[in-house]
Amino acid sequence: MASQRSATILAMVALVALLPTALCQKAAPAPTATTPSAATTPAPPNVTAVLEKGAQYTKFMRLMKSTQQDTQLNAQANSSDTGFTVFAPTDNAFDSLKAGTLNSLTQQEQVSLVQAHIVPTFYSMESFQTASNPVRTQASGADGPYTVNVTATSNSQVNVSTGIVTCLLGTALRDKKPLAVYSVDKVLLPYDLFGPKPPKSSPAAKGKSPSATKGGVAAPTGADESAPTGAAAAVRAGWSFLAAVLAAAACLL
């Protein structure tokens, strides 16, 4: 009898000992699906952030902001299938411009200047090797889009030319689709804005009327064709009177 009671007590002690473990297992939450962390989600392209990180593009950033091309490019890049490529002039590139160059441009021409540095296609450094020239930019005028020519050099560098300015493509500040940003050491002055302007046509010389000349000799016009006046009229009247007198005398003879 005592042994049975001892066995029962031991069994109860064992159950009490296992109770916390059972409760903990029951309270454990069911596993949930893990979500990717913010660090693994790529941030949307932002040209301003790229240029700020580069630390030597403040003047280009200022020009983009004043023409609202920074916000426009960010919005377009986030929804573009083809992507964009930006040629970003350094502050030294702007300092090298002739004094008053930017101030001489209208607001619309400043917009065109910024857009002439933006290509509506993503280009990696390697894909420039097979680019088809001329490469169209975002800017356009009365004669169509502004363009640049992109050519690879023998040592795998890339030249960019507008017809006014030629420079080497520099460091890639960003080269992940949909946005590539490359440093350039010159402002890409578009030929359409800074190229030689055609001379203005001078007004055509006033032509002479057919009656102005007769046989190569100028014919009298205006007052010359009217009845003579003044002294000339008096002389002509005198000759007429003399002729009348002579005619009357002849009749009397």
Side-chain angles (χ1 to χ4, degrees), residues 50-51 53-57 85-90 123-125 128 156-158 160 167-176 179-186:
V50 173
L51 295 176
K53 187 176 181 180
Q56 55 176 333
Y57 306 93
T85 299
V86 178
F87 303 119
T90 63
Y123 282 99
S124 65
M125 188 65 78
F128 276 123
S156 299
Q157 292 182 312
V158 176
V160 182
C167 65
L168 278 174
L169 208 63
T171 306
L173 306 178
R174 176 192 165 102
D175 58 357
K176 295 180 181 179
L179 180 64
V181 182
Y182 297 97
S183 177
V184 290
D185 61 1
K186 292 182 182 179

Side-chain angles (χ1 to χ4, degrees), residues 212-219:
T213 57
K214 292 182 180 179
V217 180

Side-chain angles (χ1 to χ4, degrees), residues 63-124:
L63 188 58
M64 292 192 78
K65 183 175 181 180
S66 66
T67 56
Q68 299 182 352
Q69 295 306 297
D70 52 350
T71 54
Q72 179 173 318
L73 177 60
N74 290 335
Q76 290 177 330
N78 286 320
S79 59
S80 171
D81 294 330
T82 59
F84 290 89
T85 299
V86 178
F87 303 119
T90 63
D91 290 338
N92 288 337
F94 280 96
D95 291 339
S96 300
L97 290 176
K98 183 179 178 181
T101 297
L102 295 182
N103 291 335
S104 68
L105 300 177
T106 65
Q107 179 70 15
Q108 181 54 49
E109 288 173 337
Q110 290 184 9
V111 171
S112 297
L113 177 60
V114 175
Q115 291 179 338
H117 290 75
I118 303 172
V119 175
T121 303
F122 173 85
Y123 282 99
S124 65

Side-chain angles (χ1 to χ4, degrees), residues 33-48:
T34 57
T35 56
S37 63
T40 60
T41 303
N46 186 305
V47 68
T48 305

Side-chain angles (χ1 to χ4, degrees), residues 196-240:
K197 302 295 187 293
K200 295 182 179 180
S201 57
S202 57
K206 294 181 179 180
K208 295 183 179 180
S209 61
S211 60
T213 57
K214 292 182 180 179
V217 180
T221 59
D224 294 334
E225 294 179 354
S226 61
T229 59
V235 171
R236 182 169 294 185
W239 281 109
S240 298

